[in-house]
Amino acid sequence: MDGNVKIVDVQRSIYEDNDERARLLRSELREKGVYLLNVMSSPGAGKTTTLTGLINALKDNYRIGVMEADIDSDVDARRISETGVRSIQLHTGGMCHLDSDMTRQGLDELGGDIDLAILENVGNLVCPAEFDTGAVKNIAILSVPEGDDKPLKYPLMFTVCSLVLINKIDVLPYFDFDLDKCCEYIHARNPEAEVITICAKTGEGIDKFAEWVDRELKAYKA
Amino acid sequence: MDGNVKIVDVQRSIYEDNDERARLLRSELREKGVYLLNVMSSPGAGKTTTLTGLINALKDNYRIGVMEADIDSDVDARRISETGVRSIQLHTGGMCHLDSDMTRQGLDELGGDIDLAILENVGNLVCPAEFDTGAVKNIAILSVPEGDDKPLKYPLMFTVCSLVLINKIDVLPYFDFDLDKCCEYIHARNPEAEVITICAKTGEGIDKFAEWVDRELKAYKA
């Protein structure tokens, strides 16, 4: 423990077949009524700030638990714990992604009685997209300063995500970022992907993101 | 070939010991007088724009070849080829980093008679730092929008780099980025690391980066 934050050193899976283990975890969570959301992005795209906004919008209606995955440090889990929801820090021991068994270790530490479990994956646009964590849905955050061409260069990330949040739209005037082109690139990879523009810092668009999650949770519980 | 850009599908090494293979490559390059520079960063931190500026500053004095590593697309190699230097695109087939044998395959395709070989690694702050490519020096580019805490969260990247370029300093007024704190975090990881602030888009600071590379090349050739 460091202040209010529990740090869990998650161990790499001893199982070969992550896909099968992920399916098993998903069906166990389904039984328990826990909705697992996997949030991915590049380093510094604004995952923690976005999640803080989401949690504040939903915490009166749902029991929320958050797992912050990081190679090192507990900066993010401390920020999340300030919202008052359950929050733990997962240390991956240098690993660049989480698999379903690492996620399971985190969920065990988080404890039951949760409606929404959020996994903030390691900041990395490549490897996390390759490993099914057992989540119901994956979402990606792409920030304006990274450039509109990222769906071309990191195709798998945008293929596996149901929702893409385009963050830091307050700085659009200072960057060569073509929003229409970016959406076109996303939909070329994944025609079903929804896109919501946000500014996590000012809170702009977080209401739309919270509505998306709320709809997901209601459909899951129905 | 796509236009002027040769695309090379590099294969994962069949060798277990990357460190030993990297040392071998480094000593072979030493014999040939080829200086290999490995450039790493998050997606969208500005590697290609920075390298375009560097190449334009040095191309009259040195024979330069560039390897652009990407999971997919040839956007970057086409941009580099516009500078007139030799440029190839390495496709990693989904791999999140380059090892020394993948780098060797790229160097073979690039051909000899080069003073400076630049490897633009896959956009990823985690995995590329774990694999010695055989380079003389590693450098990292950290951009202001990513946040000043990145050296805390991605410690290995800042430990293995001799030079950190802090890019996009033109947008410092729009982000909560403490330059002094960032330098402090970098030096906590690596007291020897040099730091140069740049704006690749406007060219600010690229002269200092070019002087750093020029000094490196002169020392290497001496």
Side-chain angles (χ1 to χ4, degrees):
Chain A
M1 298 285 284
D2 178 336
N4 292 318
V5 174
K6 180 161 193 176
I7 296 176
V8 181
D9 292 308
V10 286
Q11 307 297 320
R12 194 175 189 159
S13 176
I14 56 164
Y15 299 95
E16 284 282 310
D17 190 348
N18 181 61
D19 285 349
E20 197 174 305
R21 302 279 304 164
R23 277 193 295 271
L24 180 66
L25 177 59
R26 194 155 33 238
S27 76
E28 287 175 22
L29 291 173
R30 171 75 273 186
E31 288 286 312
K32 293 180 193 160
V34 178
Y35 183 106
L36 175 61
L37 183 69
N38 178 29
V39 181
M40 300 181 281
S41 82
S42 294
K47 288 186 292 303
T48 312
T49 309
T50 302
L51 289 179
T52 301
L54 177 74
I55 291 162
N56 284 327
L58 294 179
K59 68 181 176 186
D60 292 339
N61 300 324
Y62 297 104
R63 296 164 303 174
I64 302 174
V66 181
M67 298 173 284
E68 292 287 318
D70 245 317
I71 291 165
D72 207 347
S73 95
D74 61 352
V75 180
D76 292 342
R78 273 189 280 131
R79 282 176 60 201
I80 292 290
S81 72
E82 284 164 19
T83 63
V85 304
R86 248 179 285 173
S87 157
I88 59 171
Q89 182 77 50
L90 309 183
H91 277 179
T92 64
M95 286 281 285
C96 51
H97 67 274
L98 288 187
D99 61 25
S100 63
D101 272 354
M102 294 163 98
T103 306
R104 181 188 287 275
Q105 292 162 49
L107 287 164
D108 287 347
E109 290 288 340
L110 210 52
D113 298 329
I114 281 176
D115 302 304
L116 171 62
I118 302 172
L119 172 63
E120 184 181 320
N121 217 310
V122 179
N124 183 336
L125 270 195
V126 188
C127 320
E130 295 168 18
F131 292 85
D132 188 345
T133 58
V136 180
K137 292 274 170 81
N138 299 312
I139 72 170
I141 303 177
L142 173 65
S143 64
V144 164
E146 293 171 68
D148 52 33
D149 60 349
K150 291 300 154 293
L152 294 179
K153 293 186 171 179
Y154 302 89
L156 188 61
M157 179 58 71
F158 295 88
T159 306
V160 301
C161 283
S162 305
L163 172 66
V164 179
L165 299 175
I166 300 182
N167 190 21
K168 306 190 188 178
I169 53 162
D170 57 324
V171 295
L172 265 174
Y174 313 113
F175 290 91
D176 303 322
F177 187 99
D178 187 326
L179 198 54
D180 290 336
K181 208 179 265 184
C182 187
C183 290
E184 188 188 304
Y185 295 153
I186 291 168
H187 290 130
R189 297 302 181 186
N190 182 359
E192 306 297 319
E194 291 184 62
V195 178
I196 299 174
T197 56
I198 63 170
C199 173
K201 200 166 81 173
T202 63
E204 190 182 341
I206 293 296
D207 54 338
K208 290 200 181 67
F209 175 35
E211 283 163 20
W212 185 92
V213 176
D214 187 53
R215 276 198 306 275
E216 282 287 314
L217 287 168
K218 289 202 169 104
Y220 190 70
K221 297 267 184 192
Chain B
M1 297 284 283
D2 178 338
N4 292 318
V5 174
K6 179 161 194 176
I7 296 176
V8 181
D9 292 308
V10 285
Q11 307 298 319
R12 195 174 189 159
S13 175
I14 55 164
Y15 298 95
E16 285 282 310
D17 190 349
N18 180 62
D19 284 348
E20 197 174 306
R21 301 279 305 163
R23 277 193 295 271
L24 180 65
L25 177 58
R26 195 156 32 238
S27 76
E28 287 175 23
L29 291 173
R30 170 75 271 185
E31 286 287 310
K32 294 181 194 160
V34 178
Y35 184 106
L36 175 62
L37 184 69
N38 178 30
V39 181
M40 300 180 281
S41 83
S42 294
K47 288 186 293 303
T48 313
T49 310
T50 302
L51 290 178
T52 302
L54 177 75
I55 291 162
N56 285 327
L58 294 179
K59 69 182 177 185
D60 292 339
N61 300 324
Y62 297 103
R63 297 164 302 173
I64 302 173
V66 182
M67 299 173 283
E68 293 286 318
D70 245 317
I71 291 165
D72 207 346
S73 96
D74 61 351
V75 179
D76 292 342
R78 273 189 280 132
R79 282 176 61 200
I80 293 290
S81 72
E82 285 164 19
T83 64
V85 305
R86 248 179 285 173
S87 157
I88 59 169
Q89 182 78 50
L90 309 183
H91 276 180
T92 64
M95 285 283 284
C96 51
H97 66 273
L98 288 187
D99 62 25
S100 63
D101 272 355
M102 295 163 98
T103 306
R104 180 188 287 275
Q105 291 161 50
L107 287 163
D108 287 347
E109 290 289 340
L110 209 53
D113 298 328
I114 281 176
D115 303 304
L116 172 62
I118 301 172
L119 173 62
E120 184 182 321
N121 217 309
V122 179
N124 183 334
L125 269 195
V126 188
C127 321
E130 295 169 19
F131 292 85
D132 188 346
T133 58
V136 180
K137 291 275 170 80
N138 299 312
I139 73 170
I141 304 178
L142 172 65
S143 63
V144 164
E146 294 171 68
D148 52 35
D149 61 350
K150 291 300 154 294
L152 295 179
K153 294 186 172 180
Y154 302 89
L156 188 61
M157 178 57 72
F158 295 87
T159 306
V160 303
C161 283
S162 305
L163 172 66
V164 179
L165 300 175
I166 300 182
N167 190 21
K168 307 189 188 179
I169 53 163
D170 57 324
V171 295
L172 264 174
Y174 313 114
F175 290 90
D176 303 322
F177 187 98
D178 186 326
L179 198 55
D180 291 336
K181 208 178 266 183
C182 187
C183 290
E184 189 187 302
Y185 295 154
I186 292 167
H187 289 131
R189 297 301 181 187
N190 182 357
E192 306 296 320
E194 290 184 62
V195 177
I196 299 174
T197 55
I198 63 169
C199 174
K201 200 166 80 172
T202 63
E204 190 182 342
I206 292 295
D207 55 339
K208 290 199 181 66
F209 175 35
E211 283 163 20
W212 186 91
V213 176
D214 186 53
R215 276 198 305 276
E216 282 286 314
L217 287 167
K218 289 202 168 106
Y220 190 71
K221 298 267 183 192

